[in-house]
Amino acid sequence: MSVLTVVIFLPLVVAAGLAALPRLGARTVSGAWIAASAADLVLAAVMWHGYGSGEQRGGIGYETRARWIPSLGAEYHVGVDGLSLPLIAMTALLFLVCAVYSPWRTGRGRPYAALFLALQTVCTGLFAALDLLLFFVFFDLSIVGMYFVIVGWGHGDRTRSALKFFLYTFLGSLALLLGFIGLYLGGGARTFDMVDLTREPPFAGAPGASGLVLLAVGVGLAVKTPTVPFHTWLPPAHTDAPAAGSAILAGVMLKMGTYGFARIAMPLLPGAWQRNAWVIVAVGVVSVLYGALVALAQENLKRLVAYTSINHMGYVVLGLGAAGVVSGDVQARRLAVSGAVTQMVSHGLITGALFLLAGVLWDRAHAYDLGRFGGIAGVAPVFAGLTAVAAFASLGLPGLSGFIAEFQILAGVIGVGTPGAVAAGVLSVGGIVITAALLLRMLHRAFLGAPGELTPLVGDVRSRELAAVAPLLALSAAIGVAPRWLLSLVEPAAAAIVSLVSR
Protein backbone atom coordinates (compact mmCIF):
# COMPACT_ATOMS: atom_id res chain seq x y z
CA MET A 1 0.00 0.00 0.00
CA SER A 2 1.45 3.37 -1.03
CA VAL A 3 1.89 6.24 1.40
CA LEU A 4 -0.59 8.30 -0.65
CA THR A 5 -3.31 5.69 -0.20
CA VAL A 6 -2.60 5.73 3.56
CA VAL A 7 -2.91 9.53 3.59
CA ILE A 8 -6.25 9.30 1.77
CA PHE A 9 -7.90 6.55 3.81
CA LEU A 10 -6.37 6.83 7.30
CA PRO A 11 -8.97 9.39 8.44
CA LEU A 12 -11.79 7.20 7.11
CA VAL A 13 -10.46 4.18 9.03
CA VAL A 14 -10.39 6.20 12.25
CA ALA A 15 -13.88 7.55 11.52
CA ALA A 16 -15.15 3.97 11.12
CA GLY A 17 -13.53 3.08 14.43
CA LEU A 18 -15.24 5.97 16.19
CA ALA A 19 -18.58 4.96 14.68
CA ALA A 20 -18.12 1.36 15.84
CA LEU A 21 -17.22 2.26 19.44
CA PRO A 22 -20.15 4.23 20.85
CA ARG A 23 -18.94 4.13 24.46
CA LEU A 24 -15.84 6.24 23.90
CA GLY A 25 -15.55 9.33 26.09
CA ALA A 26 -15.50 12.83 24.64
CA ARG A 27 -11.80 13.37 25.42
CA THR A 28 -10.88 10.07 23.77
CA VAL A 29 -12.85 10.99 20.66
CA SER A 30 -11.17 14.38 20.46
CA GLY A 31 -7.74 12.84 21.00
CA ALA A 32 -8.31 10.24 18.28
CA TRP A 33 -9.49 12.93 15.86
CA ILE A 34 -6.45 15.12 16.52
CA ALA A 35 -4.06 12.16 16.34
CA ALA A 36 -5.43 10.95 13.00
CA SER A 37 -5.30 14.42 11.44
CA ALA A 38 -1.79 15.03 12.81
CA ALA A 39 -0.58 11.70 11.40
CA ASP A 40 -2.03 12.63 8.01
CA LEU A 41 -0.20 15.97 8.08
CA VAL A 42 3.09 14.29 8.97
CA LEU A 43 2.68 11.82 6.10
CA ALA A 44 1.82 14.68 3.71
CA ALA A 45 5.03 16.44 4.81
CA VAL A 46 6.99 13.22 4.17
CA MET A 47 5.49 13.04 0.67
CA TRP A 48 6.37 16.70 0.06
CA HIS A 49 9.99 16.07 1.04
CA GLY A 50 10.20 12.87 -0.98
CA TYR A 51 8.61 14.39 -4.07
CA GLY A 52 10.72 17.56 -3.95
CA SER A 53 13.99 15.64 -3.67
CA GLY A 54 13.10 12.62 -5.81
CA GLU A 55 13.27 11.79 -9.49
CA GLN A 56 9.51 12.32 -9.89
CA ARG A 57 9.80 16.07 -9.33
CA GLY A 58 7.81 17.81 -12.05
CA GLY A 59 5.85 14.67 -12.94
CA ILE A 60 3.41 12.34 -11.22
CA GLY A 61 4.73 10.97 -7.93
CA TYR A 62 3.47 8.33 -5.50
CA GLU A 63 1.35 6.94 -8.30
CA THR A 64 -0.92 3.94 -7.63
CA ARG A 65 -3.14 2.09 -10.11
CA ALA A 66 -5.62 -0.67 -9.35
CA ARG A 67 -8.49 -2.18 -11.33
CA TRP A 68 -11.86 -0.80 -10.25
CA ILE A 69 -14.55 -0.98 -12.97
CA PRO A 70 -12.79 -2.59 -15.95
CA SER A 71 -15.88 -2.58 -18.17
CA LEU A 72 -15.91 1.23 -18.04
CA GLY A 73 -12.17 1.71 -18.16
CA ALA A 74 -12.26 3.24 -14.67
CA GLU A 75 -9.43 2.65 -12.19
CA TYR A 76 -8.36 3.54 -8.71
CA HIS A 77 -5.63 5.81 -10.04
CA VAL A 78 -4.05 8.35 -7.69
CA GLY A 79 -0.87 10.38 -7.65
CA VAL A 80 0.50 13.83 -6.83
CA ASP A 81 2.39 16.62 -8.54
CA GLY A 82 3.12 20.28 -7.93
CA LEU A 83 -0.55 21.14 -8.45
CA SER A 84 -2.12 18.61 -6.09
CA LEU A 85 0.51 18.09 -3.38
CA PRO A 86 0.29 21.64 -1.92
CA LEU A 87 -3.50 21.29 -1.76
CA ILE A 88 -3.27 17.89 -0.06
CA ALA A 89 -0.87 19.31 2.54
CA MET A 90 -3.13 22.35 3.06
CA THR A 91 -6.12 20.01 3.48
CA ALA A 92 -4.32 18.00 6.15
CA LEU A 93 -3.36 21.17 8.02
CA LEU A 94 -6.84 22.69 7.93
CA PHE A 95 -8.50 19.51 9.16
CA LEU A 96 -5.96 19.27 11.97
CA VAL A 97 -6.53 22.83 13.16
CA CYS A 98 -10.30 22.26 13.00
CA ALA A 99 -9.82 19.20 15.23
CA VAL A 100 -7.80 21.31 17.67
CA TYR A 101 -10.29 24.19 17.50
CA SER A 102 -13.42 22.11 18.10
CA PRO A 103 -13.95 21.73 21.87
CA TRP A 104 -14.14 18.19 23.19
CA ARG A 105 -17.48 19.09 24.75
CA THR A 106 -19.06 19.69 21.32
CA GLY A 107 -22.59 18.27 21.33
CA ARG A 108 -22.68 14.80 19.74
CA GLY A 109 -18.90 14.91 19.51
CA ARG A 110 -18.40 11.36 18.23
CA PRO A 111 -20.48 11.71 15.03
CA TYR A 112 -19.07 15.24 14.57
CA ALA A 113 -15.47 13.96 14.65
CA ALA A 114 -16.29 10.92 12.50
CA LEU A 115 -17.99 13.11 9.89
CA PHE A 116 -15.03 15.48 9.66
CA LEU A 117 -12.59 12.57 9.38
CA ALA A 118 -14.65 11.03 6.58
CA LEU A 119 -14.80 14.42 4.87
CA GLN A 120 -11.02 14.65 5.11
CA THR A 121 -10.67 11.38 3.19
CA VAL A 122 -13.07 12.67 0.53
CA CYS A 123 -11.22 15.98 0.08
CA THR A 124 -7.76 14.42 0.01
CA GLY A 125 -8.93 11.72 -2.39
CA LEU A 126 -10.30 14.27 -4.83
CA PHE A 127 -7.00 16.17 -5.03
CA ALA A 128 -5.12 12.89 -5.56
CA ALA A 129 -7.54 11.37 -8.11
CA LEU A 130 -6.24 10.81 -11.64
CA ASP A 131 -9.40 9.10 -12.87
CA LEU A 132 -12.47 11.14 -13.80
CA LEU A 133 -14.97 8.73 -12.26
CA LEU A 134 -12.97 8.53 -9.03
CA PHE A 135 -12.79 12.34 -9.00
CA PHE A 136 -16.56 12.52 -9.41
CA VAL A 137 -17.22 10.06 -6.56
CA PHE A 138 -15.15 12.15 -4.15
CA PHE A 139 -16.69 15.35 -5.54
CA ASP A 140 -20.23 14.14 -4.83
CA LEU A 141 -19.43 12.69 -1.40
CA SER A 142 -18.02 16.04 -0.30
CA ILE A 143 -21.45 17.59 -0.90
CA VAL A 144 -23.13 14.98 1.29
CA GLY A 145 -20.58 15.36 4.08
CA MET A 146 -20.83 19.15 4.27
CA TYR A 147 -24.62 19.01 4.10
CA PHE A 148 -24.70 16.98 7.31
CA VAL A 149 -22.13 19.25 8.98
CA ILE A 150 -24.33 22.31 8.34
CA VAL A 151 -27.69 20.75 9.13
CA GLY A 152 -26.39 18.87 12.18
CA TRP A 153 -24.20 21.45 13.92
CA GLY A 154 -25.00 24.78 12.28
CA HIS A 155 -27.09 27.63 13.64
CA GLY A 156 -29.62 30.14 12.38
CA ASP A 157 -31.67 28.86 9.46
CA ARG A 158 -29.31 25.92 9.05
CA THR A 159 -31.79 23.51 7.45
CA ARG A 160 -32.67 25.93 4.65
CA SER A 161 -29.02 26.90 4.09
CA ALA A 162 -27.90 23.27 4.02
CA LEU A 163 -30.65 22.36 1.56
CA LYS A 164 -29.76 25.27 -0.72
CA PHE A 165 -26.10 24.29 -0.60
CA PHE A 166 -26.93 20.67 -1.42
CA LEU A 167 -29.32 21.40 -4.29
CA TYR A 168 -27.07 23.96 -5.97
CA THR A 169 -23.89 21.90 -5.75
CA PHE A 170 -25.62 18.61 -6.55
CA LEU A 171 -27.11 20.07 -9.72
CA GLY A 172 -23.66 21.35 -10.57
CA SER A 173 -22.26 17.86 -10.06
CA LEU A 174 -24.82 16.48 -12.53
CA ALA A 175 -23.56 18.92 -15.16
CA LEU A 176 -20.03 17.81 -14.32
CA LEU A 177 -21.02 14.16 -14.76
CA LEU A 178 -22.41 14.91 -18.22
CA GLY A 179 -19.13 16.56 -19.11
CA PHE A 180 -17.15 13.55 -17.88
CA ILE A 181 -19.32 11.21 -19.93
CA GLY A 182 -18.61 13.43 -22.93
CA LEU A 183 -14.85 13.18 -22.29
CA TYR A 184 -15.17 9.40 -22.01
CA LEU A 185 -17.07 9.10 -25.29
CA GLY A 186 -14.86 11.61 -27.08
CA GLY A 187 -11.63 9.85 -26.22
CA GLY A 188 -10.45 7.16 -28.59
CA ALA A 189 -9.41 4.80 -25.78
CA ARG A 190 -12.80 4.91 -23.98
CA THR A 191 -11.23 5.62 -20.61
CA PHE A 192 -11.76 7.90 -17.64
CA ASP A 193 -8.02 8.08 -16.94
CA MET A 194 -6.86 11.70 -16.87
CA VAL A 195 -3.28 10.90 -17.80
CA ASP A 196 -4.33 8.89 -20.87
CA LEU A 197 -6.85 11.54 -21.92
CA THR A 198 -4.23 14.26 -21.55
CA ARG A 199 -1.95 12.46 -24.02
CA GLU A 200 -4.74 12.33 -26.63
CA PRO A 201 -7.30 15.05 -25.80
CA PRO A 202 -10.90 14.20 -26.70
CA PHE A 203 -12.64 16.09 -29.51
CA ALA A 204 -9.35 17.50 -30.79
CA GLY A 205 -10.89 18.01 -34.24
CA ALA A 206 -14.43 18.85 -33.16
CA PRO A 207 -14.64 22.41 -31.81
CA GLY A 208 -18.42 22.34 -31.39
CA ALA A 209 -18.47 19.15 -29.33
CA SER A 210 -15.47 20.19 -27.24
CA GLY A 211 -17.14 23.52 -26.50
CA LEU A 212 -20.29 21.80 -25.23
CA VAL A 213 -18.28 19.44 -23.03
CA LEU A 214 -16.28 22.38 -21.64
CA LEU A 215 -19.57 24.15 -20.90
CA ALA A 216 -20.85 21.15 -18.90
CA VAL A 217 -17.58 20.68 -17.03
CA GLY A 218 -17.22 24.43 -16.53
CA VAL A 219 -20.70 24.90 -15.06
CA GLY A 220 -20.20 22.01 -12.64
CA LEU A 221 -16.88 23.37 -11.44
CA ALA A 222 -18.06 27.01 -11.43
CA VAL A 223 -20.86 26.15 -9.00
CA LYS A 224 -18.33 24.59 -6.63
CA THR A 225 -15.79 27.43 -6.89
CA PRO A 226 -18.16 29.46 -6.89
CA THR A 227 -18.01 32.09 -9.60
CA VAL A 228 -20.63 34.69 -10.42
CA PRO A 229 -23.50 33.98 -11.17
CA PHE A 230 -23.37 30.52 -9.49
CA HIS A 231 -22.42 31.88 -6.07
CA THR A 232 -25.73 32.44 -4.30
CA TRP A 233 -25.56 29.25 -2.21
CA LEU A 234 -22.30 30.31 -0.56
CA PRO A 235 -23.17 33.21 1.83
CA PRO A 236 -26.08 31.45 3.64
CA ALA A 237 -24.12 28.20 3.85
CA HIS A 238 -21.21 29.99 5.51
CA THR A 239 -23.37 32.11 7.77
CA ASP A 240 -25.23 29.16 9.27
CA ALA A 241 -22.41 26.57 9.28
CA PRO A 242 -20.32 25.91 12.40
CA ALA A 243 -16.95 27.67 12.40
CA ALA A 244 -14.98 24.52 11.56
CA GLY A 245 -17.44 23.69 8.78
CA SER A 246 -17.00 27.15 7.26
CA ALA A 247 -13.21 26.82 7.48
CA ILE A 248 -13.29 23.52 5.56
CA LEU A 249 -15.92 24.70 3.09
CA ALA A 250 -13.96 27.84 2.19
CA GLY A 251 -10.44 26.62 2.78
CA VAL A 252 -10.67 23.22 1.07
CA MET A 253 -13.92 22.56 -0.78
CA LEU A 254 -14.00 25.72 -2.89
CA LYS A 255 -10.61 24.67 -4.28
CA MET A 256 -12.22 21.56 -5.76
CA GLY A 257 -13.71 23.78 -8.48
CA THR A 258 -10.56 25.70 -9.41
CA TYR A 259 -8.43 22.56 -9.08
CA GLY A 260 -10.80 20.84 -11.49
CA PHE A 261 -10.29 23.64 -14.01
CA ALA A 262 -6.51 23.22 -13.85
CA ARG A 263 -6.45 19.41 -13.64
CA ILE A 264 -9.29 18.50 -16.04
CA ALA A 265 -10.72 21.31 -18.17
CA MET A 266 -7.44 22.89 -19.29
CA PRO A 267 -5.33 19.84 -20.24
CA LEU A 268 -8.18 17.64 -21.51
CA LEU A 269 -9.91 20.36 -23.56
CA PRO A 270 -7.04 22.66 -24.56
CA GLY A 271 -8.59 23.82 -27.82
CA ALA A 272 -11.91 24.72 -26.21
CA TRP A 273 -10.09 26.46 -23.35
CA GLN A 274 -8.14 28.57 -25.84
CA ARG A 275 -11.24 29.53 -27.81
CA ASN A 276 -13.12 30.53 -24.66
CA ALA A 277 -10.21 32.06 -22.76
CA TRP A 278 -11.64 35.58 -22.87
CA VAL A 279 -14.98 34.39 -21.52
CA ILE A 280 -13.16 32.76 -18.60
CA VAL A 281 -11.07 35.89 -18.02
CA ALA A 282 -14.25 38.00 -18.02
CA VAL A 283 -15.91 35.67 -15.47
CA GLY A 284 -12.82 36.02 -13.28
CA VAL A 285 -12.86 39.82 -13.44
CA VAL A 286 -16.59 39.99 -12.69
CA SER A 287 -16.17 37.66 -9.69
CA VAL A 288 -13.25 39.73 -8.40
CA LEU A 289 -15.15 43.02 -8.52
CA TYR A 290 -18.61 41.71 -7.60
CA GLY A 291 -17.34 39.75 -4.61
CA ALA A 292 -15.46 42.77 -3.26
CA LEU A 293 -18.30 45.26 -3.81
CA VAL A 294 -20.97 43.08 -2.21
CA ALA A 295 -18.66 42.27 0.71
CA LEU A 296 -18.26 46.01 1.27
CA ALA A 297 -22.01 46.30 1.96
CA GLN A 298 -22.20 43.46 4.52
CA GLU A 299 -23.02 44.00 8.19
CA ASN A 300 -22.62 40.32 9.06
CA LEU A 301 -18.98 39.29 9.57
CA LYS A 302 -19.42 35.78 8.18
CA ARG A 303 -21.23 36.96 5.07
CA LEU A 304 -18.48 39.54 4.56
CA VAL A 305 -15.77 36.86 4.64
CA ALA A 306 -17.90 34.63 2.38
CA TYR A 307 -18.10 37.32 -0.30
CA THR A 308 -14.35 37.96 -0.07
CA SER A 309 -13.97 34.26 -0.95
CA ILE A 310 -15.83 34.90 -4.21
CA ASN A 311 -13.44 37.79 -4.82
CA HIS A 312 -10.33 35.73 -4.10
CA MET A 313 -11.42 32.74 -6.14
CA GLY A 314 -12.11 35.15 -8.99
CA TYR A 315 -8.38 35.86 -9.11
CA VAL A 316 -7.73 32.14 -9.53
CA VAL A 317 -10.17 31.93 -12.44
CA LEU A 318 -8.61 35.05 -13.96
CA GLY A 319 -5.12 33.55 -13.82
CA LEU A 320 -6.21 30.23 -15.31
CA GLY A 321 -8.18 31.98 -18.03
CA ALA A 322 -5.14 34.06 -19.00
CA ALA A 323 -3.20 30.83 -19.57
CA GLY A 324 -5.46 30.15 -22.55
CA VAL A 325 -4.49 33.36 -24.35
CA VAL A 326 -1.95 31.60 -26.57
CA SER A 327 -1.03 34.78 -28.43
CA GLY A 328 0.41 36.21 -25.21
CA ASP A 329 3.81 35.86 -23.57
CA VAL A 330 4.47 32.28 -22.41
CA GLN A 331 6.41 33.25 -19.29
CA ALA A 332 3.62 35.58 -18.20
CA ARG A 333 1.03 32.84 -18.67
CA ARG A 334 3.11 30.48 -16.53
CA LEU A 335 3.37 33.18 -13.87
CA ALA A 336 -0.41 33.64 -13.88
CA VAL A 337 -1.00 29.90 -13.38
CA SER A 338 1.65 29.71 -10.66
CA GLY A 339 -0.09 32.61 -8.91
CA ALA A 340 -3.46 30.88 -9.27
CA VAL A 341 -2.20 27.74 -7.53
CA THR A 342 -0.48 29.82 -4.84
CA GLN A 343 -3.74 31.72 -4.34
CA MET A 344 -5.58 28.44 -3.71
CA VAL A 345 -3.18 27.63 -0.88
CA SER A 346 -3.08 31.18 0.45
CA HIS A 347 -6.85 31.56 0.44
CA GLY A 348 -7.23 28.27 2.31
CA LEU A 349 -4.92 29.42 5.08
CA ILE A 350 -6.23 32.98 5.41
CA THR A 351 -9.94 32.37 5.05
CA GLY A 352 -9.75 29.30 7.25
CA ALA A 353 -8.27 31.52 9.96
CA LEU A 354 -10.89 34.23 9.43
CA PHE A 355 -13.79 31.80 9.78
CA LEU A 356 -12.34 30.23 12.91
CA LEU A 357 -11.93 33.73 14.38
CA ALA A 358 -15.52 34.55 13.42
CA GLY A 359 -16.46 31.42 15.36
CA VAL A 360 -14.91 32.97 18.46
CA LEU A 361 -17.45 35.81 18.26
CA TRP A 362 -20.30 33.33 17.90
CA ASP A 363 -19.03 31.25 20.80
CA ARG A 364 -18.99 34.32 23.07
CA ALA A 365 -21.89 36.49 21.87
CA HIS A 366 -23.89 34.32 19.42
CA ALA A 367 -23.85 37.11 16.86
CA TYR A 368 -21.86 38.25 13.81
CA ASP A 369 -23.40 41.75 13.46
CA LEU A 370 -20.57 44.26 13.16
CA GLY A 371 -22.76 47.11 14.38
CA ARG A 372 -23.24 45.43 17.78
CA PHE A 373 -19.55 45.23 18.52
CA GLY A 374 -16.85 47.84 18.95
CA GLY A 375 -13.70 48.30 20.99
CA ILE A 376 -12.96 44.55 21.03
CA ALA A 377 -9.23 45.31 20.96
CA GLY A 378 -9.55 46.71 24.48
CA VAL A 379 -11.03 43.55 26.00
CA ALA A 380 -9.49 40.88 23.72
CA PRO A 381 -6.14 42.15 22.41
CA VAL A 382 -4.81 38.77 21.21
CA PHE A 383 -8.05 38.06 19.36
CA ALA A 384 -7.90 41.52 17.79
CA GLY A 385 -4.28 41.03 16.77
CA LEU A 386 -4.94 37.67 15.12
CA THR A 387 -7.93 39.08 13.23
CA ALA A 388 -5.90 42.08 12.07
CA VAL A 389 -3.12 39.84 10.72
CA ALA A 390 -5.67 37.64 8.92
CA ALA A 391 -7.40 40.71 7.46
CA PHE A 392 -4.11 42.20 6.25
CA ALA A 393 -3.17 38.88 4.67
CA SER A 394 -6.56 38.76 2.93
CA LEU A 395 -6.16 42.25 1.47
CA GLY A 396 -2.73 41.35 0.08
CA LEU A 397 -0.31 43.13 2.40
CA PRO A 398 3.36 42.48 1.46
CA GLY A 399 5.01 39.98 3.76
CA LEU A 400 1.99 37.67 3.75
CA SER A 401 0.88 34.99 1.30
CA GLY A 402 -1.97 36.98 -0.24
CA PHE A 403 0.50 39.45 -1.71
CA ILE A 404 2.66 36.75 -3.33
CA ALA A 405 -0.34 35.07 -4.94
CA GLU A 406 -2.14 38.17 -6.19
CA PHE A 407 1.03 39.85 -7.41
CA GLN A 408 1.88 36.78 -9.51
CA ILE A 409 -1.62 36.63 -10.97
CA LEU A 410 -1.83 40.33 -11.83
CA ALA A 411 1.74 40.51 -13.15
CA GLY A 412 1.11 37.42 -15.24
CA VAL A 413 -2.22 38.60 -16.64
CA ILE A 414 -0.93 42.07 -17.50
CA GLY A 415 2.30 40.55 -18.80
CA VAL A 416 0.37 38.46 -21.33
CA GLY A 417 0.56 41.70 -23.25
CA THR A 418 -2.66 41.78 -25.25
CA PRO A 419 -4.94 44.81 -24.77
CA GLY A 420 -7.69 42.64 -23.30
CA ALA A 421 -5.35 41.03 -20.76
CA VAL A 422 -3.94 44.40 -19.70
CA ALA A 423 -7.47 45.77 -19.24
CA ALA A 424 -8.51 42.71 -17.22
CA GLY A 425 -5.48 43.04 -14.96
CA VAL A 426 -6.00 46.76 -14.39
CA LEU A 427 -9.69 46.27 -13.57
CA SER A 428 -8.84 43.49 -11.14
CA VAL A 429 -6.47 45.77 -9.24
CA GLY A 430 -9.64 47.62 -8.24
CA GLY A 431 -10.71 44.49 -6.38
CA ILE A 432 -7.66 44.79 -4.13
CA VAL A 433 -8.50 48.40 -3.34
CA ILE A 434 -12.11 47.55 -2.47
CA THR A 435 -11.02 44.55 -0.38
CA ALA A 436 -8.62 46.72 1.57
CA ALA A 437 -11.40 49.23 2.23
CA LEU A 438 -13.93 46.67 3.42
CA LEU A 439 -11.52 44.82 5.71
CA LEU A 440 -10.21 48.03 7.26
CA ARG A 441 -13.82 49.14 7.75
CA MET A 442 -14.54 45.84 9.49
CA LEU A 443 -11.54 46.24 11.81
CA HIS A 444 -12.48 49.82 12.62
CA ARG A 445 -16.12 49.04 13.41
CA ALA A 446 -15.67 45.88 15.46
CA PHE A 447 -12.27 46.26 17.10
CA LEU A 448 -11.68 49.98 17.57
CA GLY A 449 -13.72 52.86 18.96
CA ALA A 450 -16.25 52.75 21.77
CA PRO A 451 -17.49 49.38 23.09
CA GLY A 452 -20.69 48.05 21.54
CA GLU A 453 -23.59 46.34 23.26
CA LEU A 454 -22.09 42.85 22.84
CA THR A 455 -18.46 43.76 23.49
CA PRO A 456 -18.56 42.85 27.22
CA LEU A 457 -19.40 39.27 26.24
CA VAL A 458 -16.24 38.89 24.16
CA GLY A 459 -13.31 37.30 25.94
CA ASP A 460 -9.84 36.76 24.53
CA VAL A 461 -8.93 33.63 22.61
CA ARG A 462 -8.53 30.41 24.54
CA SER A 463 -5.50 28.18 24.18
CA ARG A 464 -7.15 25.77 21.74
CA GLU A 465 -8.36 28.66 19.57
CA LEU A 466 -4.89 30.19 19.53
CA ALA A 467 -3.32 26.80 18.74
CA ALA A 468 -5.68 26.44 15.77
CA VAL A 469 -5.40 29.91 14.23
CA ALA A 470 -1.75 30.81 14.87
CA PRO A 471 -0.24 28.07 12.62
CA LEU A 472 -2.38 29.19 9.67
CA LEU A 473 -1.21 32.80 9.99
CA ALA A 474 2.39 31.76 10.64
CA LEU A 475 2.38 29.69 7.45
CA SER A 476 0.87 32.59 5.53
CA ALA A 477 3.75 34.75 6.78
CA ALA A 478 6.28 32.05 5.85
CA ILE A 479 4.95 32.01 2.28
CA GLY A 480 4.88 35.81 2.19
CA VAL A 481 8.47 36.23 3.37
CA ALA A 482 10.17 33.18 1.81
CA PRO A 483 7.90 31.61 -0.84
CA ARG A 484 10.61 29.64 -2.65
CA TRP A 485 9.82 26.37 -0.88
CA LEU A 486 6.26 26.49 -2.24
CA LEU A 487 6.95 28.04 -5.65
CA SER A 488 9.68 25.50 -6.47
CA LEU A 489 6.98 22.84 -6.27
CA VAL A 490 4.25 24.82 -8.04
CA GLU A 491 6.15 26.36 -10.95
CA PRO A 492 6.99 23.14 -12.86
CA ALA A 493 3.33 22.13 -12.66
CA ALA A 494 2.27 25.59 -13.89
CA ALA A 495 4.68 25.33 -16.82
CA ALA A 496 3.29 21.88 -17.68
CA ILE A 497 -0.31 23.17 -17.64
CA VAL A 498 0.55 26.08 -19.95
CA SER A 499 2.37 23.70 -22.28
CA LEU A 500 -0.67 21.41 -22.46
CA VAL A 501 -3.08 24.30 -23.10
CA SER A 502 -0.83 25.65 -25.86
CA ARG A 503 -1.07 22.51 -28.00
Side-chain angles (χ1 to χ4, degrees), residues 49 56 61 69 71 80-81 83 92 95 115 206 231 253 352 379 396 419 474 495:
H49 175 74
Q56 292 295 322
I69 311 177
S71 60
V80 298
D81 61 3
L83 173 59
F95 274 96
L115 187 55
H231 66 284
M253 290 179 61
V379 298

Side-chain angles (χ1 to χ4, degrees), residues 141-161:
L141 289 177
S142 70
I143 300 170
V144 177
M146 186 52 64
Y147 168 81
F148 283 113
V149 167
I150 298 172
V151 79
W153 289 271
H155 42 257
D157 196 0
R158 60 187 181 182
T159 301
R160 180 182 177 87
S161 296

Side-chain angles (χ1 to χ4, degrees), residues 296-310:
L296 184 62
Q298 299 305 308
E299 294 294 322
N300 181 294
L301 176 60
K302 256 197 163 185
R303 290 183 70 89
L304 183 151
V305 178
Y307 277 107
T308 63
S309 290
I310 297 170

Side-chain angles (χ1 to χ4, degrees), residues 284-285 288-289 292 311 315 318 395 406-407 409-411 413-414 421-437:
V285 173
V288 164
L289 297 176
N311 163 266
Y315 286 109
L318 172 64
L395 63 84
E406 292 175 6
F407 180 82
I409 293 170
L410 293 173
V413 172
I414 294 173
V422 173
V426 171
L427 285 172
S428 297
V429 171
I432 297 177
V433 176
I434 300 168
T435 301

Side-chain angles (χ1 to χ4, degrees), residues 467-502:
V469 173
L472 300 178
L473 299 181
L475 195 54
S476 175
I479 295 172
V481 173
R484 189 71 255 163
W485 59 274
L486 174 61
L487 297 183
S488 63
L489 193 68
V490 169
E491 286 171 351
I497 291 171
V498 171
S499 176
L500 290 170
V501 172
S502 301

Side-chain angles (χ1 to χ4, degrees), residues 32-64:
W33 182 10
I34 292 172
S37 296
D40 234 33
L41 180 59
V42 170
L43 290 173
V46 169
M47 284 200 306
W48 189 305
H49 175 74
Y51 181 86
S53 58
E55 296 180 357
Q56 292 295 322
R57 183 175 179 179
I60 301 295
Y62 301 99
E63 189 172 11
T64 300

Side-chain angles (χ1 to χ4, degrees), residues 118-459:
L119 196 54
Q120 183 171 354
T121 283
V122 169
C123 295
T124 306
L126 181 139
F127 293 131
L130 294 175
D131 181 276
L132 292 174
L133 200 56
L134 186 64
F135 180 99
F136 179 78
V137 168
F138 287 129
F139 188 93
D140 245 18
L141 289 177
S142 70
I143 300 170
V144 177
M146 186 52 64
Y147 168 81
F148 283 113
V149 167
I150 298 172
V151 79
W153 289 271
H155 42 257
D157 196 0
R158 60 187 181 182
T159 301
R160 180 182 177 87
S161 296
L163 182 61
K164 187 174 184 179
F165 158 78
F166 183 88
L167 291 177
Y168 265 70
T169 51
F170 184 70
L171 287 173
S173 75
L174 293 180
L176 186 66
L177 180 60
L178 288 175
F180 285 178
I181 293 173
L183 290 171
Y184 172 80
L185 296 175
R190 286 293 193 272
T191 179
F192 286 102
D193 190 273
M194 297 182 199
V195 177
D196 294 342
L197 290 171
T198 299
R199 293 193 190 102
E200 298 183 16
F203 303 110
S210 63
L212 289 175
V213 173
L214 178 62
L215 178 62
V217 172
V219 168
L221 297 174
V223 172
K224 194 79 166 185
T225 299
T227 62
V228 177
F230 304 107
H231 66 284
T232 54
W233 62 266
L234 183 68
H238 273 311
T239 302
D240 296 329
S246 289
I248 296 302
L249 179 58
V252 178
M253 290 179 61
L254 300 192
K255 311 308 177 300
M256 294 177 177
T258 49
Y259 174 77
F261 284 126
R263 173 65 72 200
I264 298 170
M266 296 174 72
L268 270 59
L269 296 164
W273 192 268
Q274 292 176 27
R275 289 187 292 273
N276 294 281
W278 289 114
V279 175
I280 298 162
V281 166
V283 170
V285 173
V286 170
S287 296
V288 164
L289 297 176
Y290 178 87
L293 287 169
V294 178
L296 184 62
Q298 299 305 308
E299 294 294 322
N300 181 294
L301 176 60
K302 256 197 163 185
R303 290 183 70 89
L304 183 151
V305 178
Y307 277 107
T308 63
S309 290
I310 297 170
N311 163 266
H312 287 122
M313 300 312 289
Y315 286 109
V316 179
V317 175
L318 172 64
L320 297 178
V325 183
V326 293
S327 59
D329 182 78
V330 173
Q331 292 298 327
R333 291 159 58 207
R334 291 175 179 173
L335 182 62
V337 174
S338 176
V341 179
T342 305
Q343 176 76 327
M344 293 187 220
V345 177
S346 173
H347 177 264
L349 300 174
I350 296 167
T351 307
L354 283 169
F355 276 121
L356 293 180
L357 290 166
V360 173
L361 282 185
W362 182 264
D363 181 69
R364 309 296 194 274
H366 293 283
Y368 299 117
D369 301 324
L370 295 175
R372 303 177 69 186
F373 295 98
I376 293 177
V379 298
V382 177
F383 173 55
L386 292 171
T387 307
V389 172
F392 287 134
S394 184
L395 63 84
L397 187 74
L400 296 163
S401 59
F403 172 78
I404 299 296
E406 292 175 6
F407 180 82
Q408 285 184 295
I409 293 170
L410 293 173
V413 172
I414 294 173
V416 166
T418 65
V422 173
V426 171
L427 285 172
S428 297
V429 171
I432 297 177
V433 176
I434 300 168
T435 301
L438 70 91
L439 289 171
L440 292 174
R441 173 178 172 269
M442 178 271 289
L443 291 173
H444 177 78
R445 293 193 64 189
F447 292 89
L448 304 176
E453 62 174 293
L454 297 180
T455 302
L457 300 177
V458 181

